[in-house]
Amino acid sequence: MNIDPATNRIDSIPYRRSPNCDQRPPETPIELVVVHSISLPPGEFGGTAIERFFTNELDPAEHPYFETIRDLRVSAHVVIYRDGSMRQFVPFDRRAWHAGESRFGDRRRCNDFSIGIELEGTDTDPYTSVQYERLGQVLEAIKRAYPSVHAVRGHADIAPGRKSDPGPAFDWGQLSSRLPEGMGMA
Ligand SMILES: [Zn+2]
């Protein structure tokens, strides 16, 4: 897996441009990867709802839950689906809107200096082995392209009390063996 330095995108996966992003603040190296989980509607896997959510194309009439998120404008850089397929929505040099109110050490607004990776899943359903495999490959590629990245955390770690993903189902032990050198977990 490789990140093209000209586009700041993984060159081997489909790109669906999300409008929900903007410029990072100047002189702000990327330091952190935030792991999330998402499923739409919650607990249902497959389909294209996540993709449509991140591109503001979700039809609120399609499902009662979609009505509750109709005004949200969010994104992640990359989604890793349960079958291991992936989509990129925001180039890594841009600021995706994934972390919200958040804190890493004594720093706030984690979106400024982080990359957001969504795993298709819930807090309680075991993630698939191929998702761990892909996540490891993405982290390797990120570390190679952006050596300033030095940490990976769950959304719950940077927004405690407000967010719970990727939840107890996420096996940090499985990730630890796949972490690139120079990138640490909590
Ligand atoms: Zn999250």
Side-chain angles (χ1 to χ4, degrees):
M1 205 175 287
N2 186 56
I3 295 170
D4 182 336
T7 61
N8 289 280
R9 301 192 323 240
I10 297 170
D11 57 15
S12 52
I13 65 173
Y15 174 55
R16 302 276 183 267
R17 194 188 71 83
S18 172
N20 307 330
C21 64
D22 53 11
Q23 280 191 342
R24 295 183 187 274
E27 313 289 318
T28 309
I30 310 170
E31 293 187 40
L32 174 69
V33 173
V34 180
V35 178
H36 301 261
S37 67
I38 187 172
S39 52
L40 288 177
E44 287 184 31
F45 304 142
T48 58
I50 299 170
E51 188 165 330
R52 286 180 286 130
F53 182 43
F54 285 165
T55 52
N56 303 340
E57 290 165 350
L58 202 56
D59 177 2
E62 194 181 316
H63 189 279
Y65 183 77
F66 297 172
E67 180 63 37
T68 71
I69 57 172
R70 64 179 301 162
D71 295 325
L72 290 184
R73 294 291 176 265
V74 295
S75 62
H77 290 91
V78 168
V79 175
I80 305 176
Y81 295 91
R82 299 186 73 78
D83 64 359
S85 62
M86 298 170 53
R87 295 272 187 285
Q88 184 149 2
F89 293 90
V90 176
F92 294 115
D93 60 323
R94 305 268 296 163
R95 177 171 61 184
W97 302 344
H98 58 98
E101 174 66 36
S102 53
R103 185 177 193 137
F104 178 59
D106 56 1
R107 303 176 61 193
R108 295 177 180 276
R109 293 184 307 276
C110 293
N111 285 341
D112 290 355
F113 56 90
S114 72
I115 287 169
I117 309 285
E118 295 272 4
L119 305 179
E120 185 186 24
T122 71
D123 286 3
T124 49
D125 292 288
Y127 296 92
T128 64
S129 349
V130 69
Q131 284 181 301
Y132 290 102
E133 191 182 320
R134 290 288 177 272
L135 180 57
Q137 292 166 341
V138 173
L139 294 178
E140 284 282 355
I142 287 172
K143 185 66 181 170
R144 247 184 294 124
Y146 314 103
S148 53
V149 178
H150 61 84
V152 51
R153 296 288 189 276
H155 197 186
D157 300 318
I158 61 161
R162 195 175 69 80
K163 291 291 177 181
S164 58
D165 59 313
F170 187 76
D171 183 354
W172 289 93
Q174 278 213 52
L175 182 63
S176 66
S177 57
R178 302 177 188 279
L179 271 188
E181 203 174 322
M183 201 183 281
M185 302 185 319

